[in-house]
Amino acid sequence: MTVRSERGDRPGTVDGQPFADEGGLPFHAAPATDSLTRFFELMEVVQMLSPRWPPRELAQDRGGFLLSGKEPMASPHDTSAQSSLFGDAPAQPTDRLFLGLFPDTATAARIDALGAEVCARHGLRVPRHQPGRLHVTLFHIGDWAGLPMDTVEATRTAAASLHEAPFPVRFDEVATFAGRRDKRPLVLKAGEGNAALQTFRARLGEALARNGLGRCVSRTFEPHVTLAYAAQTVEPEAVTPIVWTAQEFVLIHSLLGQTRHIVLGRWPLGA
């Protein structure tokens, strides 16, 4: 459609202002001198039509994003790829990545027995985590609807660069962490200590940051193993210490809502 100004016969203007053929919205813009400039002018119109555009990375680094030909790694909880330009609801996350420590089979059985005893003593009639899923989360890499393989590979590279010795892990207390009223985590944790674990995690965090995953490196960390989720609260109480030696750490793809763990990488300590 050709729009003619009330002040003249020049097409493409309304009241002397430029008119965007693609969006039907008047806007002020400097005359386009090249295709790249014209592209960004059009994106301003698209942004008027849909607040989901442009992507955050494009807004932060217009020229670099376009000219490099590379898309940045997906951010945690980023489901924009699954939503349409005009505002469909984003897809719910279905895939989680995390780095963790898993106890050996015998230790997992002891933790499971402790969880059963604590739940029974406090009247918690809730499902407990199965022994094979008991773990210490070192870093939560992110949740997505669909696994971002660039993030998987960056995490693998970071993990493989680490060369650390095995170290002891000790837990001697159970308590409830804060959470939803109907889903508070009951955890096995340490009253104090685990300096070697803290040091290992700090070095792993440095490796993640070197490989473009610094956004995943949180400063706060209280080592724990989640036993179950319950609405009731268990105040901190001492238990017989459970100790094991960490011999490896793993990268896990967790299928959210399916209680399934898929190992994507395993790195022995002391190798």
Side-chain angles (χ1 to χ4, degrees), residues 98-103 111 133-140 167 169-171 188-189 194 197 200-201 221-226 244 246 248-250 252 261:
F98 71 88
L99 287 162
L101 299 175
F102 282 72
I111 296 174
R133 299 183 68 246
L134 297 169
H135 66 274
V136 179
T137 298
L138 297 169
F139 287 103
H140 173 211
F167 55 86
V169 179
R170 173 189 171 95
F171 294 117
L188 173 64
K189 65 188 192 75
N194 281 319
L197 170 56
F200 171 79
R201 182 181 182 272
F221 175 56
E222 183 169 3
H224 65 277
V225 176
T226 300
W244 81 89
E248 65 177 12
F249 64 106
V250 296
I252 293 293
H261 284 171

Side-chain angles (χ1 to χ4, degrees), residues 252-264:
I252 293 293
H253 172 201
S254 176
L255 301 177
L256 298 177
Q258 300 185 40
T259 64
R260 288 183 58 197
H261 284 171
I262 301 171
V263 177
L264 299 183

Side-chain angles (χ1 to χ4, degrees), residues 36 39-40 58 61-70:
L36 187 60
F39 173 81
F40 287 121
L58 179 58
D61 183 12
R62 289 182 169 184
F65 176 86
L66 290 171
L67 300 178
S68 68
K70 297 179 180 179

